[in-house]
Amino acid sequence: MNPAQEIKKDSGLVYDWPRAQLGSALLFFFVIQSLGLLMRWQFVKPTPGLNYSFFLHAHSHVALLGWMHAVLAIALPRAFLAAEVSRRPYQIIFWLSQICVLGMLLSFPIQGYAMVSIIFSTLFLFCSYALAYYLRRDTARDLSLSRQLLAAGLFFMVLSSLGPWSLGPIIALKFGKTAPYYLSIYFYLHFQYNGWFMLGGSALGLRLLESRTGFQRRQWRIPVRCFYWSVWPTLALSALWLEPPLWVYLIGALGAGLQIVSLIGLGRSSEFKSWFQGLLKGQILSDWPGRLLLLSGLCFGAKAVLQALTALPFFASMAAQQRALIIFYLHLVLLGCLSIFLLAYLIQAEIFRKGASLNAGLILFISGFLGSEGLLLYQGFSSWLGWTLLGSYYLSLASVSLLLPLGFLLITLSLKQQASKPQPLA
């Protein structure tokens, strides 16, 4: 049996997914890919009257909140809550959150950060607080390691909101576009994707492992704790562009080191060894969930290595000066680590029909991701070394970016129209 499929009947992976909610999250994912393509096209043929920074705000907010936050808000209650717990509060919170995201999508391209977009962003924060409250309350008796990761992720989600709340006073004190302004934004982003998204997604994965017969909880305690504690000191890496004192670099290096220790501990677990043996035998790569999980894991390993490198002043200076490298890193984390993991989770949960549409869509999507990451690396190092970019560079970048929405459109065509009843994974 494929190790990826050794899951108990009561694992909660395959169940009646709320199709309207899932469709909303998938639609927003398609929208952000289309916005990304539009923004890259501006370097080929600018659109008159289009404000690039306004569309960038829309792209980033919808990516974080309309897609990744939304999928976690759908999946986590179903993975952690007993069947008798009411889902109605989660449904209300979800749709209120998505209405806020829609408001941001429509207002940011028109006015950027202004009254309407700020109102929707603020209302979304209250929705996230409500989600954190209900999930912590309804899982309070769960003593599993996965629940500990979930609780930590929810805590970081709430903590990250201190960044947006601080922007008002910072701007009022006329510190806009200064170091405190940008640090508050980086504070929010760090605890969102390194805290909430990473730990929330890891909680989903660990929940499935815990449902397998023979799960070794003892072997996972140190990796889980190191992973949690690494979130705190790696915040220092977000401030290295200021060329701070040496002790700030050392704190960042500590966080990166804890991540490496967590990965080493993960590699020594019996579950990973079983998974690796399945990989060597070709079992893991026999289906899309295994392939996507491998790609997501490789991206996470690359993320950990890059964070360790940026704790060194030379690489920190390189990253801070090359915008293409920053975009490469953000896409590595948000697309490579997180979005591809969520796609693997949804495919394993039998959300999509297996067939030519799914296969072609995933091939195009992955090709677009890898192609755009490769071109961004080329741009970043070319700028660093003083090379002249090829004349067709921006057209090539837009072309490979087109593969993302096209591929994802094919993936969504394989979405099952009717919710199937819960079935055990064979």
Side-chain angles (χ1 to χ4, degrees):
M1 181 181 290
N2 186 333
Q5 294 179 325
E6 295 176 7
I7 301 172
K8 293 180 183 177
K9 183 176 180 178
D10 60 350
S11 66
L13 179 59
V14 181
Y15 38 65
D16 267 342
W17 284 74
R19 297 295 153 152
Q21 294 182 31
L22 183 61
S24 171
L26 294 173
L27 178 59
F28 277 134
F29 193 29
F30 177 76
V31 167
I32 64 174
Q33 294 163 45
S34 302
L35 286 176
L37 174 61
L38 175 63
M39 290 188 294
R40 286 180 174 173
W41 182 252
Q42 300 312 301
F43 293 95
V44 180
K45 187 176 181 180
T47 302
L50 186 146
N51 189 308
Y52 184 91
S53 63
F54 287 4
F55 275 81
L56 179 61
H57 291 322
H59 174 76
S60 58
H61 280 77
V62 176
L64 295 176
L65 309 178
W67 160 240
M68 280 175 284
H69 177 98
V71 174
L72 290 177
I74 296 170
L76 288 169
R78 283 160 179 77
F80 281 87
L81 302 184
E84 61 270 14
V85 177
S86 174
R87 299 292 196 274
R88 183 164 178 76
Y90 297 96
Q91 294 172 359
I92 295 172
I93 293 169
F94 178 87
W95 285 117
L96 289 176
S97 300
Q98 293 297 80
I99 290 171
C100 292
V101 173
L102 179 60
M104 287 183 261
L105 174 62
L106 297 176
S107 58
F108 271 120
I110 298 173
Q111 60 175 199
Y113 272 106
M115 183 180 68
V116 177
S117 59
I118 290 174
I119 289 174
F120 281 115
S121 302
T122 304
L123 291 175
F124 186 93
L125 292 179
F126 290 112
C127 292
S128 68
Y129 296 158
L131 176 64
Y133 168 77
Y134 279 102
L135 262 180
R136 285 186 64 90
R137 186 198 69 177
D138 293 340
T139 60
R141 296 183 179 180
D142 189 338
L143 302 180
S144 64
L145 281 175
S146 59
R147 197 273 174 182
Q148 293 178 27
L149 273 178
L150 171 62
L154 293 171
F155 169 76
F156 285 130
M157 176 178 69
V158 174
L159 179 66
S160 71
S161 67
L162 294 179
W165 285 123
S166 67
L167 286 177
I170 288 174
I171 294 174
L173 293 171
K174 303 190 182 304
F175 288 115
K177 309 301 181 181
T178 63
Y181 174 86
Y182 290 112
L183 286 174
S184 66
I185 294 175
Y186 296 150
F187 181 95
Y188 170 74
L189 292 174
H190 173 78
F191 285 116
Q192 274 283 305
Y193 65 78
N194 283 316
W196 162 225
F197 295 141
M198 281 292 179
L199 270 62
S202 298
L204 280 177
L206 186 56
R207 190 68 168 181
L208 292 181
L209 286 177
E210 289 173 340
S211 68
R212 290 174 51 178
T213 302
F215 174 75
Q216 301 293 320
R217 175 188 170 103
R218 173 179 51 83
Q219 298 178 353
W220 284 80
R221 287 176 180 168
I222 292 178
V224 166
R225 289 172 182 172
C226 288
F227 190 30
Y228 164 75
W229 285 110
S230 72
V231 178
W232 292 98
T234 48
L235 174 64
L237 299 176
S238 300
L240 298 186
W241 58 278
L242 290 171
E243 299 183 358
L246 178 61
W247 62 267
V248 179
Y249 288 89
L250 294 176
I251 292 175
L254 172 63
L258 285 172
Q259 260 190 139
I260 300 296
V261 171
S262 178
L263 285 174
I264 294 173
L266 169 65
R268 299 182 64 181
S269 67
S270 58
E271 285 77 17
F272 180 84
K273 291 176 181 177
S274 174
W275 184 88
F276 187 69
Q277 290 173 0
L279 177 64
L280 294 178
K281 294 177 182 178
Q283 295 173 329
I284 295 298
L285 298 180
S286 64
D287 57 14
W288 277 111
R291 297 167 196 155
L292 294 174
L293 184 61
L294 176 61
L295 178 56
S296 176
L298 290 174
C299 289
F300 181 80
K303 166 189 176 293
V305 171
L306 290 175
Q307 284 190 307
L309 288 176
T310 53
L312 302 174
F314 174 81
F315 292 102
S317 175
M318 176 191 292
Q321 295 177 32
Q322 306 304 321
R323 185 172 182 273
L325 294 181
I326 296 174
I327 298 174
F328 164 84
Y329 175 77
L330 289 174
H331 286 180
L332 178 74
V333 175
L334 300 176
L335 265 178
C337 295
L338 294 166
S339 295
I340 288 177
F341 168 78
L342 293 176
L343 283 177
Y345 189 89
L346 293 175
I347 293 171
Q348 184 70 13
E350 302 180 4
I351 295 301
F352 302 100
R353 294 188 305 273
K354 295 180 180 179
S357 178
L358 180 64
N359 294 338
L362 286 168
I363 290 172
L364 287 177
F365 184 86
I366 293 172
S367 298
F369 165 68
L370 295 177
S372 62
E373 288 291 88
L375 287 171
L376 286 170
L377 267 184
Y378 161 71
Q379 180 186 355
F381 282 110
S382 294
S383 179
W384 177 258
L385 296 173
W387 298 346
T388 301
L389 286 174
L390 295 175
S392 61
Y393 170 77
Y394 289 109
L395 179 60
S396 299
L397 184 60
S399 298
V400 297
S401 300
L402 178 61
L403 299 179
L404 289 166
L406 285 180
F408 190 71
L409 183 60
L410 288 176
I411 294 172
T412 55
L413 290 178
S414 66
L415 183 68
K416 292 182 178 179
Q417 299 300 313
Q418 299 295 327
S420 57
K421 294 183 179 179
Q423 297 292 331
L425 293 179

